[in-house]
Amino acid sequence: MNPSNHFEIPGSVSLQTGKGGLPLIRIESAASSAEIYYHGAHVSHFQRRNEPPLLFMSEASEFEAGKPIRGGVPIVFPWFGARDGMPMHGFARLAEWNVVTSKLLPDGSVMLHFRLPHDDMFDTDFIVTVGETLAMELSVTNTGRSDFRFESCLHTYFQIGDIHQVEIAGLKGARYLDTLVSQEFTEAEETIRFTGETDRVYQNSSAGVEIRDPVLRRIIRVRKSGSLSTVVWNPWIAKSQRMPDFGDDEYLRMLCVESGNVKENATVLKPGETSILRAEISSEVTS
Ligand code: BG6
C-alpha cells in the first residue's frame, strides 16, 4: 500500500517509512513526540521532552503485515484473548487503518484520527492526541440491525526501570480473574508488586491506576473512562522465552496495564448506539 499524505502538517505530522518498511506517522507536539503505524493504528512510541520513553517496544518485535507489534499500544478489538480459528485479541491490531484527518490544537498538541476500513456491522474510530499526555479514544458505533457484543482493550506496554521494584496502586478492593489459575480473587493489597508471571483481569473497576517506578524516578498515571476492566500482565521468565517476538530478559523492564471492557464487562450496543473507551496517560518525574 502507498498511503496518501493528505494529513501531513509541516513540522508536526509527517509520513515516514517505519520498521519492516511499514508506513509510519511521526508526530512532534510542543511537549512530546510519538509514532503511530497504520498497521493496527498502533502507537509504537510516545516520549515527553526530557523524559525516557513512556512506552516499551520489544527489540524482537516483528513489523510485518499480518503480525501484531510487540510493544506500544496494540488495539484489542472486537474480542480479547483466543478465539477458535481466529487471531488472538481480534483483528484490529492486524488491520491497515485509514487516516481520516490530523489537527494541530491551540495548546500545541496534535490530534490524529484513524478509522478501520468499512464493516457492515460497525464503524470503528481511533483518535490519538499527543501532547503533555497521550490520550487515546476508541469509538465504536453499531451500524447493523441487531445487538453487537464486543470486547476492547488498549493493551498498553509501559517502559519501567525494574519489574522487581515497580508497584501499581489503584486496584485495591477490585475483583479480578487470575488467568493463570482461572480463579477469582479480590485485590487485598494497597499496591501490586511483581514476583512471577502475572496475568489478571480486574473487573468492574473504572478507577485510574498509578505505576510507581523508583528506578526511572517516575510515576505514570492512567486515567480512563468508558472502561470497566483493567488487565495487568507481565510474562516473567518462562513465557518470555516462549514468545518468539520478545527478548528473554525484556520482562524486566516492561509491564502492561490495559484499559478496556473484556469478559463480563464486554460492551453490548443496540443498533445506532456508540460507545467510547478512553485512556489518558500522564507522567511525573520524581526525585
Ligand atoms: C494479555 C493477556 O492481555 O495479552 C495475556 O492477558 C497474553 O494472556 C498477552 O499473553 C499477550 O498477548 P499476545 O497475543 O500479544 O501475545
Side-chain angles (χ1 to χ4, degrees):
M1 191 184 69
N2 212 348
S4 89
N5 61 351
H6 64 93
F7 53 83
E8 284 190 316
I9 304 173
S12 300
V13 180
S14 60
L15 176 61
Q16 301 189 0
T17 301
K19 293 192 177 150
L22 297 178
L24 166 83
I25 299 169
R26 170 96 194 160
I27 298 160
E28 296 291 342
S29 80
S32 60
S33 62
E35 290 177 352
I36 311 176
Y37 281 84
Y38 278 75
H39 180 61
H42 195 120
V43 180
S44 57
H45 170 78
F46 174 75
Q47 183 167 21
R48 296 180 60 198
R49 309 224 176 272
N50 306 318
E51 249 187 61
L54 255 160
L55 301 178
F56 164 88
M57 176 56 63
S58 170
E59 299 276 334
S61 177
E62 292 166 298
F63 288 84
E64 213 180 304
K67 293 194 171 164
I69 294 171
R70 177 73 66 196
V73 190
I75 299 176
V76 173
F77 173 79
W79 60 85
F80 175 85
R83 186 174 274 200
D84 260 359
M86 308 286 264
M88 169 89 174
H89 283 340
F91 51 76
R93 65 178 180 167
L94 305 175
E96 302 304 311
W97 292 57
N98 297 315
V99 182
V100 180
T101 187
S102 66
K103 210 173 189 173
L104 185 55
L105 303 175
D107 68 353
S109 57
V110 176
M111 186 277 286
L112 259 290
H113 177 178
F114 292 83
R115 181 169 290 159
L116 253 188
H118 184 69
D119 183 288
D120 287 342
M121 293 256 305
F122 47 86
D123 282 344
T124 312
D125 291 273
F126 185 54
I127 294 175
V128 183
T129 307
V130 175
E132 285 286 353
T133 66
L134 172 66
M136 296 172 286
E137 206 172 282
L138 183 71
S139 142
V140 180
T141 299
N142 181 355
T143 56
R145 289 162 180 232
S146 47
D147 286 5
F148 174 44
R149 181 184 186 280
F150 63 92
E151 295 172 291
S152 56
C153 208
L154 300 170
H155 190 310
T156 312
Y157 287 74
F158 290 100
Q159 172 159 312
I160 52 156
D162 178 7
I163 192 69
H164 299 105
Q165 296 188 53
V166 83
E167 51 185 25
I168 297 180
L171 292 165
K172 187 175 180 191
R175 197 160 49 84
Y176 67 91
L177 173 69
D178 185 331
T179 310
L180 301 174
V181 291
S182 298
Q183 269 187 51
E184 289 201 351
F185 300 93
T186 297
E187 184 57 68
E189 305 298 330
E190 208 61 61
T191 61
I192 302 164
R193 298 186 70 104
F194 295 82
T195 53
E197 184 180 353
T198 304
D199 195 350
R200 299 178 179 180
V201 180
Y202 288 85
Q203 294 169 328
N204 300 311
S205 170
S206 52
V209 162
E210 204 168 276
I211 302 169
R212 299 177 185 155
D213 182 344
V215 175
L216 293 184
R217 297 204 170 117
R218 173 162 77 179
I219 296 176
I220 297 173
R221 294 193 178 87
V222 182
R223 285 199 322 181
K224 57 179 194 160
S225 63
S227 160
L228 287 175
S229 314
T230 296
V231 182
V232 176
W233 180 61
N234 181 285
W236 217 251
I237 300 167
K239 187 157 181 171
S240 296
Q241 290 168 352
R242 286 199 303 273
M243 293 194 297
D245 59 346
F246 193 78
D248 288 359
D249 294 333
E250 288 187 323
Y251 76 95
L252 290 166
R253 48 186 188 85
M254 60 69 71
L255 69 84
C256 288
V257 173
E258 313 166 26
S259 305
N261 295 294
V262 308
K263 302 203 181 270
E264 69 179 60
N265 293 137
T267 308
V268 181
L269 293 179
K270 294 194 179 314
E273 281 184 347
T274 298
S275 68
I276 297 177
L277 158 64
R278 189 169 197 280
E280 182 172 14
I281 295 155
S282 59
S283 61
E284 183 191 327
V285 175
T286 56
S287 47

